[in-house]
Amino acid sequence: MDRAACMREWIDAFVFPQANAWEERQQLPPAILDDFACRGWFGAALPPRWGGLGCDSETLARFCAEMARGSVSLLSIFTVHNMVCQALLRWGAADQQAVWLRQLASGAVRAAFALTEPEFGSEATGIRCRVARNGDELIVNGAKKWISGSCHAQLFLVMARAKEEGLMALLVPADTAGLRITPMPDLLGFRAAGIARLDFADCRLPASALIGAPGAGFTFVAAHALDHGRFTVACGCLGVIEACLRASVAYANQRTQFGQPLRRHQLIQALVADMATDLEAARALVERAAKQRDSQAAESITATTIAKYFCSRAALRAATDALQIHGGNGCSPEYPVMRYYRDAKICEIIEGSSQMQQLMIASHAFMRERPQRRRRHG
Ligand SMILES: Cc1cc2nc3c(=O)[nH]c(=O)nc-3n(C[C@H](O)[C@H](O)[C@H](O)COP(=O)(O)OP(=O)(O)OC[C@H]3O[C@@H](n4cnc5c(N)ncnc54)[C@H](O)[C@@H]3O)c2cc1C
């Protein structure tokens, strides 16, 4: 059985039936994360030489779609963990990889990605969290907000600014003295994703905490991590659309109004048709991005951005329509569509909001289509 099919079975057996209750409790049970780790899934996208499963992007896409079909909170914990894995794989020094990658692949160490601050989100290059050198040590002060997976993480990849050297990417163990992790409860969605605020007060780190060159923290390390994050979020949105479609069809078959099942009302059929169309379009964009990523095509970053932009908007459309089809029942935790609606809205904000994706897509389009300079004759 392939990886995505295993995930599908596991989701149907252990996640789907419980996911609403976890969102209400605002916590994923530790046993579920332990089981996820035992199956090697935290290392799904790491190469076998580091103990990972070595999934290619096409397999990873189906794997993440299945995960999000069950629980977007679970997907978000995987997403940030994988972002840190990929940043280390690409930019970590050999000794940093040797220390961390096997532990990350096994899930013995779980990681989270800390870029956003109370005052800086979309304008990520403005961040103010500070890092100063003191002999061989790095000292971090400042705050991060909205950090997914924080309540389960043993390791954070933190972006901070050094006065002269610019932005740095730092590995900060969760038990570092001076680091306070404050859960952020009662959010709109992603309620079981262990989101927290991080406060750093004179956190002392060894020089080996620095990933990549000083000053390369955002342009290389964070940008690489965010590209991977956008991909898994796009794939997750595919899972949300599929979940919305299934729930809508099941409900429209079973619920009768005006003497016939909802499925016979043409206005309901129109909503289902749009959802099914969005699912196919989203799948095609994710598959295209996956192929480009696997062949390391120059356009893969834009293909991923387009997939994330389209899929997150399509997921919100699907969730809105699924809720509409469920009527009043859609507004109750008895059914899963309310959760899809809450989570889908957030997918339009994380890893760069829809507006930020639009700016990136437009900038690429203008660059690609720019008029050729006229040759001078004579
Ligand atoms: C549930 C959740 C989980 C998250 N997890 C993480 C995490 O794990 N790690 C992490 O670092 N961050 C995380 N974030 C933060 C997330 O990445 C930011 O919320 C996001 O980047 C937007 O930043 P902001 O909230 O500060 O909004 P702002 O940047 O203040 O933007 C507000 C609005 O203005 C728009 N806008 C901003 N600039 C422009 C512009 N130039 N042109 C047009 N429109 C613009 C935005 O699109 C948005 O609609 C998470 C957020 C949420 C809600």
Side-chain angles (χ1 to χ4, degrees), residues 76 80 83 112-124 144-150 157 187-191 193 195 226 346-359:
S76 81
V80 292
M83 287 164 75
F113 175 79
L115 171 63
T116 308
E117 299 183 356
E119 301 302 328
F120 291 92
S122 304
E123 192 189 345
K144 297 285 171 184
K145 199 175 172 190
W146 305 109
I147 308 308
S148 304
S150 293
L157 181 60
L187 301 177
L188 171 72
F190 284 48
R191 290 163 72 94
I195 294 173
L226 285 166
I346 290 177
C347 291
E348 268 208 294
I349 294 172
I350 54 169
E351 322 305 357
S353 65
S354 286
Q355 287 72 35
M356 292 298 110
Q357 309 303 301
Q358 283 177 303
L359 294 179

Side-chain angles (χ1 to χ4, degrees), residues 35-98:
D35 193 16
F36 191 94
C38 280
R39 291 163 189 269
W41 287 342
F42 276 111
L46 281 173
R49 76 172 187 283
W50 292 116
L53 301 180
C55 290
D56 60 18
S57 301
E58 289 189 61
T59 309
L60 186 67
R62 288 185 290 119
F63 181 84
C64 291
E66 290 301 337
M67 212 187 296
R69 190 174 59 77
S71 162
V72 178
S73 287
L74 180 62
L75 176 85
S76 81
I77 286 171
F78 172 78
T79 288
V80 292
H81 178 87
N82 186 49
M83 287 164 75
V84 178
C85 291
Q86 297 303 325
L88 255 170
L89 190 62
R90 176 69 182 83
W91 295 107
D95 50 345
Q96 292 168 325
Q97 294 181 343

